[in-house]
Amino acid sequence: MRLLPPLFKAKSAVPTLTALTDAPFKNTRYPTLTAAPLPKAQTEALADELNALYQSVMDSLGRDDARYIQRVYATVLYSEVISRALLAFAGQLSSKRSKLGVWLLGTSLLSFSKILNNMELGHNVMHGQYDWMQHPHLNSQKFDWDIICPAPLWQHSHNYLHHTFTNIVGRDHDVGYHLIRVTDEQPWTPSDRYNLFKTTILALGFEWAVAFHDIQISVDEYADSTQLTDIMQPKARALFGKIARQVGKDYIAFPAMAALALGRSSALTTLSGNITANIARNLWTWAVIFCGHFTEQAHIYTHLDANESKGDWYVRQILGSSNIQGNKWFHILTGNLSHQIEHHIFPDMPARHYTKIAPTVQAICGKYNLAYNTGHFSTQFMQVLGRIRHFSKPSAEEWRAYKQSISNNNSINKPTYNNDLGEHSSQKATADDPSKRGFRRFLPHVVRQAMFYA
């Protein structure tokens, strides 16, 4: 399985950029860049300043950082134990008000544990931010988080593809997650009219979208490889194995143990608490991720310079990311992804340092006239919804192009009939497709692909 190649040595098959442009992008709504916004001399000077800042922080890492992440790990562990005990205990209470109160407390604490595990612990540890500690399990190679996506699959789609090709349409598959249209560079289709509905489904089941994301990416990425099956089979099996463990743990094992120890009522409070906590974690994670990438001023790129320098890469990360303002606990619960700009330029720096360096990064951006996109959560969130709604509608030109394509297809692809059976050939082909037989025809295409390779 191909994982985590050197971050700045990756090359793209995308055509190189056109000549540099001086077009003002700051005040353009939903900006798209077709060229590098800064000349090479400036990007190299910016890179020198950011490299110096990065090195100063990395040289300072030590006991306090190690103690911090170990405390986070302990908090995740103990809060989960206490919350699960509360959920089981809630089923034993006779008073409905007391039962609801204890259930809400247990569910809130379990949601907190899962969010902290997902954001401040799992995301950051699997980025290699604490590999320098040489801890036996708090490292990027061995740690696995409490969601259904296996760590290696996420590291390929996120650490490598997303952080290398950030916001480049066609290379960064996080741009819309193959589901939501967020830029003019994605052609409009009729299903985009339901962008807000699809976004709601994506948010509620975000861990499932993340889990199958790398399967969909890898099928396309390795489509021309003669080893496609050898590559995809372990990925698909790892995914379904992780799904079995997570579903078994939250929805079977813990409710069953509560039922055996305390009875049916405790099983129900445990099961409902687990379901609610997972949904709460999904909604929070989705909101933080989308507010960090799809606000109004998050820049989309159409191409990648084949000779992109580290300074050019820094500029692309800065312009393609958005920060969220908040207090200390807000930043912790976001995994410090509220400092998405700092995270994207320094993905392997321990995230607890982002708050400290943010003013310096903002000053450097101001020096080179680069937009530093930051705002309160409500502001960024409304911009995300506005962007999704905006791109759910076609422009007049896009609508004419769509109607023309329908007209052309109707004239070219007239129905053909089988002489013996008298049925449409397209219908017969669908019926002969084994992946669409039985219950599988109701499953999303990416799920059928994963089942096929598994």
Side-chain angles (χ1 to χ4, degrees), residues 273-386:
N274 289 348
I275 293 172
T276 305
N278 282 331
I279 292 175
R281 187 264 321 280
N282 289 345
L283 291 172
W284 177 252
T285 305
W286 167 84
V288 171
I289 297 301
F290 269 57
C291 285
H293 294 89
F294 304 122
T295 56
E296 191 172 284
Q297 284 299 303
H299 291 55
I300 298 294
Y301 280 69
T302 60
H303 299 84
L304 175 68
D305 188 344
N307 298 311
E308 182 181 70
S309 66
K310 191 171 182 178
D312 297 327
W313 182 87
Y314 276 142
V315 171
R316 182 158 52 82
Q317 304 306 314
I318 291 168
L319 295 180
S321 305
S322 306
N323 282 9
I324 313 170
Q325 297 169 4
N327 59 31
K328 177 181 178 181
W329 275 105
F330 177 82
H331 295 317
I332 290 174
L333 288 176
T334 67
N336 280 284
L337 293 182
S338 48
H339 294 96
Q340 194 70 236
I341 294 173
E342 286 72 25
H343 173 62
H344 263 270
I345 58 178
F346 304 134
D348 61 345
M349 176 187 290
R352 66 190 294 257
H353 291 276
Y354 292 158
T355 301
K356 180 177 65 177
I357 67 170
T360 304
V361 173
Q362 186 171 8
I364 293 173
C365 290
K367 179 179 178 180
Y368 293 93
N369 201 30
L370 292 175
Y372 184 89
N373 187 354
T374 185
H376 292 291
F377 178 80
S378 59
T379 301
Q380 305 294 60
F381 186 73
M382 292 307 296
Q383 287 187 11
V384 168
L385 295 183

Side-chain angles (χ1 to χ4, degrees), residues 13 28 69 143 166 190 230 261 271 277 294 305 321 379 419 441:
T28 304
I69 199 62
F143 188 85
T166 306
D230 293 335
L271 177 61
F294 304 122
D305 188 344
S321 305
T379 301
N419 292 332
R441 69 181 182 272

Side-chain angles (χ1 to χ4, degrees), residues 14-170:
V14 178
T16 58
L17 288 169
T18 55
L20 291 172
T21 177
D22 294 325
F25 296 105
K26 275 189 175 182
N27 297 322
T28 304
R29 194 181 187 196
Y30 311 125
T32 299
L33 292 179
T34 58
L38 292 179
K40 291 288 184 181
Q42 289 191 25
T43 62
E44 291 311 300
L46 176 141
D48 289 340
E49 293 192 49
L50 290 178
N51 288 341
L53 177 61
Y54 171 81
Q55 197 58 50
S56 67
V57 174
M58 299 305 284
D59 289 343
S60 72
L61 300 182
R63 184 177 301 174
D64 289 345
D65 298 280
R67 188 184 300 116
Y68 172 80
I69 199 62
Q70 289 170 338
R71 283 202 300 262
V72 170
Y73 178 73
T75 302
V76 168
L77 178 63
Y78 292 129
S79 60
E80 180 180 5
V81 171
I82 295 171
S83 65
R84 294 192 184 281
L86 287 170
L87 288 173
F89 176 67
Q92 299 301 296
L93 300 175
S94 56
S95 168
K96 290 185 179 180
R97 177 177 294 183
S98 299
K99 177 181 289 190
L100 178 60
V102 174
W103 182 87
L104 286 173
L105 178 60
T107 301
S108 299
L109 191 58
L110 184 58
S111 301
F112 165 79
S113 178
K114 286 177 173 287
I115 288 171
L116 196 62
N117 177 291
N118 194 183
M119 307 296 279
E120 183 70 352
L121 184 64
H123 173 274
N124 294 336
V125 167
M126 292 193 300
H127 256 296
Q129 294 180 7
Y130 295 93
D131 283 0
W132 55 271
M133 290 170 52
Q134 298 184 341
H135 194 278
H137 59 269
L138 294 178
N139 65 77
S140 60
Q141 300 305 310
K142 294 184 179 180
F143 188 85
D144 202 2
W145 49 4
D146 183 37
I147 68 170
I148 62 174
C149 182
L153 272 65
W154 177 81
Q155 287 172 315
H156 174 249
S157 63
H158 181 83
N159 288 16
Y160 169 41
L161 289 174
H162 173 59
H163 275 273
T164 304
F165 306 112
T166 306
N167 283 22
I168 300 174
V169 177

Side-chain angles (χ1 to χ4, degrees), residues 359-420:
T360 304
V361 173
Q362 186 171 8
I364 293 173
C365 290
K367 179 179 178 180
Y368 293 93
N369 201 30
L370 292 175
Y372 184 89
N373 187 354
T374 185
H376 292 291
F377 178 80
S378 59
T379 301
Q380 305 294 60
F381 186 73
M382 292 307 296
Q383 287 187 11
V384 168
L385 295 183
R387 183 172 195 140
I388 292 171
R389 183 175 180 273
H390 174 82
F391 287 107
S392 67
K393 304 174 184 178
S395 64
E397 182 179 350
E398 288 168 335
W399 180 249
R400 285 195 299 270
Y402 170 71
K403 297 294 286 185
Q404 184 62 44
S405 68
I406 292 296
S407 177
N408 293 341
N409 286 337
N410 287 340
S411 62
I412 295 173
N413 299 322
K414 293 182 178 180
T416 59
Y417 291 86
N418 182 289
N419 292 332
D420 297 326

